[in-house]
């Protein structure tokens, strides 16, 4: 076992460690870029990413379906639907709906839904 001597000798190891650390820090962006490039071009990695994405999507869909089958979800959904029905039957809602602002809000909501259905990168027209 090499003992680190106090004084001038022990500094040498610290200087070497600092030097190596500085080299790694200086080269880390290049190293990172090389790793990313190789992974991006690797069919094996692409397969892993694709399968992982599909597994996560399937797990999320399964979880959503399990939640939808619970009584708590069904009860909450029913209560929300009742509330929406009550609001839609109210005089204030119908008054707003028939106003210029209501027409604008309805058109805006339709455009948002249309945009969401078209997917990412689409533009409202």
């Amino acid at each position: 076992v090499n003992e680190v001597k106090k004084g001038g000798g022990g500094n040498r190891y610290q200087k070497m460690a600092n030097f190596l650390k500085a080299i790694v820090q200086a080269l880390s962006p290049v190293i990172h870029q090389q790793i990313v490039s190789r992974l991006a071009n690797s069919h094996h990695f692409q397969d892993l990413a694709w399968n992982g994405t599909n597994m996560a999507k399937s797990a999320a869909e399964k979880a959503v379906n399990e939640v939808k089958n619970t009584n708590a979800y069904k009860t909450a959904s029913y209560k929300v639907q009742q509330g929406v029905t009550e609001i839609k039957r109210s005089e204030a809602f119908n008054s707003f709906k028939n106003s210029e602002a209501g027409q604008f809000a309805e058109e805006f909501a339709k455009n948002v839904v249309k945009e969401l259905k078209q997917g990412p990168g689409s533009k409202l027209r």
Side-chain angles (χ1 to χ4, degrees), residues 57-70 73:
K57 181 180 173 185
S58 296
E61 288 173 351
K62 183 179 178 185
V64 167
N65 289 334
E66 287 179 9
V67 167
K68 284 183 176 180
N69 288 328
T70 64
Y73 176 84

Side-chain angles (χ1 to χ4, degrees), residues 23-83:
I23 288 174
V24 170
Q25 286 177 342
L27 295 177
S28 65
V30 175
I31 294 168
H32 179 263
Q33 182 60 41
Q34 289 297 316
I35 291 170
V36 168
S37 294
R38 287 188 183 190
L39 287 176
N41 293 323
S42 163
H43 293 293
H44 181 67
F45 180 76
Q46 290 170 359
D47 288 344
L48 284 172
W50 178 258
N51 291 335
T53 300
N54 284 331
M55 288 170 57
K57 181 180 173 185
S58 296
E61 288 173 351
K62 183 179 178 185
V64 167
N65 289 334
E66 287 179 9
V67 167
K68 284 183 176 180
N69 288 328
T70 64
N71 286 333
Y73 176 84
K74 291 176 184 176
T75 300
S77 177
Y78 178 74
K79 287 182 177 181
V80 167
Q81 199 59 37
Q82 278 184 318

Side-chain angles (χ1 to χ4, degrees), residues 86-97:
E86 286 179 30
I87 289 170
K88 285 185 173 181
R89 289 182 182 161
S90 72
E91 186 178 328
F93 177 80
N94 286 315
S95 176
F96 173 74
K97 185 178 175 184

Side-chain angles (χ1 to χ4, degrees), residues 102-116:
Q103 294 297 316
F104 173 80
E106 187 174 351
E107 187 64 29
F108 179 79
K110 284 179 185 175
N111 285 336
V112 168
V113 169
K114 181 180 173 183
E115 177 75 11
L116 290 172

